[in-house]
Structure formats: structure tokens, C-alpha cells
Amino acid sequence: RKEVEQDPGPFNVPEGATVAFNCTYSNSASQSFFWYRQDCRKEPKLLMSVYSSGNEDGRFTAQLNRASQYISLLIRDSKLSDSATYLCVVLTGRRALTFGSGTRLQVQP
Amino acid sequence: NAGVTQTPKFQVLKTGQSMTLQCAQDMNHNSMYWYRQDPGMGLRLIYYSASEGTTDKGEVPNGYNVSRLNKREFSLRLESAAPSQTSVYFCASSDADTGSPYEQYFGPGTRLTVT
């Protein structure tokens, strides 16, 4: 079983739609959680951290459910520029991060 | 301020050839990392260096060696390339001891094909 699992998609949504991605992780000792964004043929970049209480950054909301070991990312009012692959990332007890394989989002006009 | 730079951007090797991927960062970060990214697999850690002079194996170290030449530079060497090493290689750095240790800054990647 992969440490971090994501639905690969693609999620095809119209502009203005709300879309949500989930991610599950297998190690209950995981300490910190993040969403990274990766544009096609580019490097990953940090989108936001995920806190237990949930956190929001503009149109993006991240939630963590430790009991069920899943993380979610909600994007409201989708823009064409949101089209990318979203990587769920987990830190478990060491410096290095474990990346999910990503969920691809395609926002259509 | 260039961030993280990698050379080369593209490379084609024949099986058995060797090469070194170069990585440099100008952010004065202590920690540096090498990942490979394959379709459907996500990024997998090959090696990392928590600080100058130290290196540690990651999830998939076999077939690779690394050198932390100084604080800025961290190179990845393939001694005898195999087709299974065809991948996109990313170098990253982070300020793991201070600031935000979990935000890793990535280079643009090296696309390697081994035939």
C-alpha cells in the first residue's frame, strides 16, 4: 500500500466551479501535511500547509482528519490558471517529505 | 537570486554510460534533496543531505551516488545507467534548521532517457 494515496483524476470542471480532492495517508505517526502544486513539465511548488483546525488561503481551503487519516483540498470559483496537478505531501518523522502521485485538475472555459 | 538550478535540462544516455547531474542553490539552505518522478509514482526520494558533509539514503538509492560538494552544491551520479533510471530528476533545498523546514524549493528538473 502506498504511504500517500490520491485519485489521479483528471478532474475536468468548468470555470467558476468548486472542486475538492482527497488524499489518504497510511502512517498514523505522520506529523505534518501539505499541498504542493505542479504545473505541466514544471517543478512542484508549495501551495499550502494543512493544519488540524483547517485553514484557508483565498479560494483554497485545506482540511485534515487525523482519525480517518485523510486530507482534503477545496478550490472555490475555479480559474483556468488553477489547471495543474495537486500533490498531497506528508512528513513522517524525518526531514524528507513523502509525495502522493498527484491529482490532475483541468479547468475548462 | 536564481533559487535552485540544475544542469543539464535534458540528457540521453546509452545503457552502461555514466553521468553526473549537477544542482546548486543560492538560498543558503542547509538541506538538499534528490528526487525522481515517474508517471503514476509521485516523487520518490533518492538521497538527501541534511547539512554540508552529510548524506543519507532515501527510498530509492540503488544505482546512484551523491556528493555534497559544499553548502551550495549537491550532485547526483549514475555510475552505470540502466533503462529503469529513465525519469525526471528534481533537486530541492530547504531551510530545515530554521524558518520553514517543510517548504522545499525545487529546481526545474533534468529529463533523463536511458536507451
Side-chain angles (χ1 to χ4, degrees):
Chain A
R1 183 185 170 188
K2 290 183 183 176
E3 282 191 57
V4 180
E5 298 215 48
Q6 297 183 249
D7 180 343
F11 284 62
N12 294 303
V13 303
E15 271 187 290
T18 295
V19 61
F21 311 133
N22 289 331
C23 158
T24 58
Y25 60 96
S26 60
N27 191 333
S28 59
S30 298
Q31 304 156 316
S32 304
F33 310 90
F34 312 91
W35 285 101
Y36 273 67
R37 169 191 169 131
Q38 185 173 23
D39 292 310
C40 188
R41 300 179 76 83
K42 297 285 192 182
E43 70 273 23
K45 293 183 180 178
L46 179 66
L47 178 67
M48 60 195 303
S49 301
V50 186
Y51 303 120
S52 297
S53 54
N55 50 299
E56 192 172 302
D57 183 0
R59 297 181 293 107
F60 298 83
T61 301
Q63 298 271 354
L64 167 65
N65 184 319
R66 283 189 186 271
S68 301
Q69 293 182 210
Y70 82 77
I71 307 144
S72 65
L73 178 68
L74 181 80
I75 305 175
R76 290 182 298 278
D77 188 22
S78 299
K79 312 288 184 196
L80 294 175
S81 57
D82 294 333
S83 297
T85 296
Y86 291 84
L87 307 174
C88 177
V89 184
V90 171
L91 179 71
T92 308
R94 31 172 206 153
R95 293 176 183 271
L97 303 172
T98 301
F99 287 76
S101 54
T103 297
R104 193 154 68 89
L105 171 66
Q106 184 65 50
V107 181
Q108 293 162 339
Chain B
N1 189 340
V4 180
T5 56
Q6 291 183 237
T7 54
K9 286 190 167 50
F10 301 93
Q11 183 71 50
V12 179
L13 290 178
K14 292 189 187 326
T15 298
Q17 287 185 317
S18 61
M19 78 163 295
T20 299
L21 281 64
Q22 307 286 355
C23 173
Q25 53 93 8
D26 62 3
M27 295 174 283
N28 203 36
H29 286 168
N30 288 318
S31 299
M32 298 185 73
Y33 313 83
W34 275 106
Y35 293 90
R36 60 177 289 174
Q37 186 173 35
D38 303 295
M41 298 291 292
L43 281 90
R44 291 182 293 168
L45 183 68
I46 305 171
Y47 271 93
Y48 69 101
S49 171
S51 60
E52 188 178 350
T54 68
T55 61
D56 287 285
K57 293 179 181 179
E59 184 185 351
V60 288
N62 291 345
Y64 305 96
N65 285 302
V66 290
S67 295
R68 183 74 183 266
L69 303 168
N70 48 55
K71 192 170 186 179
R72 288 187 64 246
E73 298 172 288
F74 188 37
S75 62
L76 178 73
R77 183 158 178 85
L78 286 70
E79 290 292 351
S80 178
S84 60
Q85 293 178 304
T86 293
S87 189
V88 181
Y89 291 85
F90 287 103
C91 177
S93 71
S94 69
D95 197 1
D97 291 327
T98 61
S100 174
Y102 315 121
E103 180 166 10
Q104 294 190 4
Y105 295 82
F106 286 80
T110 295
R111 295 182 180 276
L112 175 67
T113 302
V114 183
T115 61

